[in-house]
Amino acid sequence: KYKIASRERVTHDTSHFVLKSYNQSHMKIPPGQHVHIRDNIEGMEITRSYTPVQIITGEKRQEAVIDFLIKIYPDGALTPKLDLLQPGDDVEISDYTGDFTLEKLHGKSTIYLLAAGTGITPMLSILPEIGENTKICLLNFNKTTQDVIWGEELERFAQSHNNFKSYNIFSNEDGASELTGRIRLDLLERFILDKGDDILACVCGPKGFVQTAERILLDDLKLKPNQLHLFQG
C-alpha cells in the first residue's frame, strides 16, 4: 500500500501522481514494466494497469517514490475515483509485470517510439535508459496540443540530448503541426528510414492504434518481429 505524496494536473484530463511507500521496502519497478492499481467500487474490485514514468528532466529522484501520469475518464470504472484522491490518501498497487527488458535497448542504431495519448508513459519510462549513441525518434500522436502529456519536458529533453527527436501528430487540430491525421503508412515512411537489423520500434496506445502500427511496421515496412515491441497492459 502506498500513499499519495503529491498530485499535479499536467493536461486538462491527465494528472501526475507521486506515490510514496509507507515503509522502507520500496518496490523498484524496472523501466517498461507496469503495475495494477486496485480499488473497490460499489462492492467490486476494479483494477487497471499503469506504467510508472521516470522524471526525464533535471536530477534523478533520490527518494523512494513512484511517478504515474494518469488520464481521468469521466465515465471510466476506476479513474473518477482516482481523481478524488488527495495527498495523504492511500492507493493499493500490485507487484510489477510485463515482458519488456532493458536488453532490448542495447546496441541499437535507432529506436523508434510510437505513442498515442497515454501510450507515452512507457516511452517516458525507458527514454532515460537509451544510450547516447542510439538515435531516438518519437512520434507522439494526440488529438490536439492540449492533449500532449509532458510536452515541455520532452522539449527540454530534446535540447539536452542531441540523439533525440520528437514529432507531434495531431488528429483533431489543423495548423498546430505540419503532421496531421492518424497513424498510416505514408506518415511512418517519412520517419522510419533506417531498417537495418539493429533498430527497434516500440509502440503503445489504444488497441486500434497498436494493431494498425503493428500491421504497417511488419507487413508494409518489413520489420522483423524481434525488431518490434508492443507495450500492452
Side-chain angles (χ1 to χ4, degrees):
K1 186 175 280 192
Y2 284 70
K3 67 178 177 181
I4 305 286
S6 68
R7 64 166 294 182
E8 175 189 14
R9 199 167 285 278
V10 294
T11 73
H12 64 99
D13 61 3
T14 301
S15 288
H16 176 198
F17 290 83
V18 181
L19 274 57
K20 190 166 187 175
S21 174
Y22 270 101
N23 52 48
Q24 298 305 312
S25 59
H26 170 66
M27 175 170 58
K28 188 164 177 57
I29 302 170
Q33 304 285 301
H34 59 268
V35 300
H36 292 92
I37 294 182
R38 292 189 289 260
D39 207 334
N40 198 287
I41 312 287
E42 297 179 358
M44 290 180 57
E45 183 178 85
I46 304 293
T47 68
R48 292 291 184 270
S49 64
Y50 297 98
T51 303
V53 299
Q54 292 199 64
I55 304 299
I56 61 170
T57 55
E59 295 293 317
K60 278 199 170 187
R61 286 201 187 280
Q62 299 302 314
E63 56 184 335
V65 297
I66 306 176
D67 294 270
F68 291 97
L69 293 167
I70 297 177
K71 182 174 180 177
I72 305 299
Y73 295 92
D75 56 351
L78 180 62
T79 56
K81 181 87 176 280
L82 296 181
D83 197 31
L84 299 175
L85 295 174
Q86 297 299 325
D89 290 340
D90 292 343
V91 177
E92 189 175 344
I93 66 175
S94 70
D95 199 355
Y96 61 82
T97 184
D99 59 359
F100 182 84
T101 60
L102 287 177
E103 284 72 26
K104 293 190 177 189
L105 305 176
H106 297 165
K108 297 295 185 287
S109 62
T110 306
I111 295 178
Y112 299 100
L113 306 176
L114 281 63
T118 52
I120 192 68
T121 55
M123 311 312 176
L124 294 169
S125 170
I126 67 173
L127 200 49
E129 307 296 330
I130 301 174
E132 59 184 20
N133 293 324
T134 299
K135 294 178 185 174
I136 310 166
C137 176
L138 168 64
L139 300 182
N140 197 6
F141 291 80
N142 287 283
K143 291 179 181 178
T144 71
T145 52
Q146 303 301 312
D147 298 297
V148 178
I149 297 170
W150 273 8
E152 290 182 9
E153 285 81 355
L154 285 165
E155 285 182 18
R156 292 207 300 273
F157 188 85
Q159 289 168 4
S160 59
H161 294 77
N162 293 331
N163 61 325
F164 175 70
K165 295 282 187 294
S166 177
Y167 303 92
N168 287 309
I169 301 101
F170 299 117
S171 60
N172 291 359
E173 185 172 353
D174 293 330
S177 168
E178 63 178 61
L179 304 169
T180 58
R182 300 181 182 277
I183 189 168
R184 60 193 188 277
L185 174 59
D186 69 285
L187 182 63
L188 296 191
E189 280 180 323
R190 292 178 59 177
F191 295 98
I192 302 182
L193 304 174
D194 182 357
K195 298 175 191 170
D197 291 336
D198 57 351
I199 71 160
L200 176 69
C202 298
V203 181
C204 190
K207 187 176 180 181
F209 175 87
V210 173
Q211 290 176 338
T212 301
E214 181 181 25
R215 175 179 53 77
I216 293 172
L217 291 168
L218 294 179
D219 297 347
D220 297 317
L221 298 180
K222 305 301 181 186
L223 268 66
K224 302 183 183 73
N226 66 356
Q227 295 176 303
L228 179 62
H229 183 85
L230 307 177
F231 285 103
Q232 295 170 335

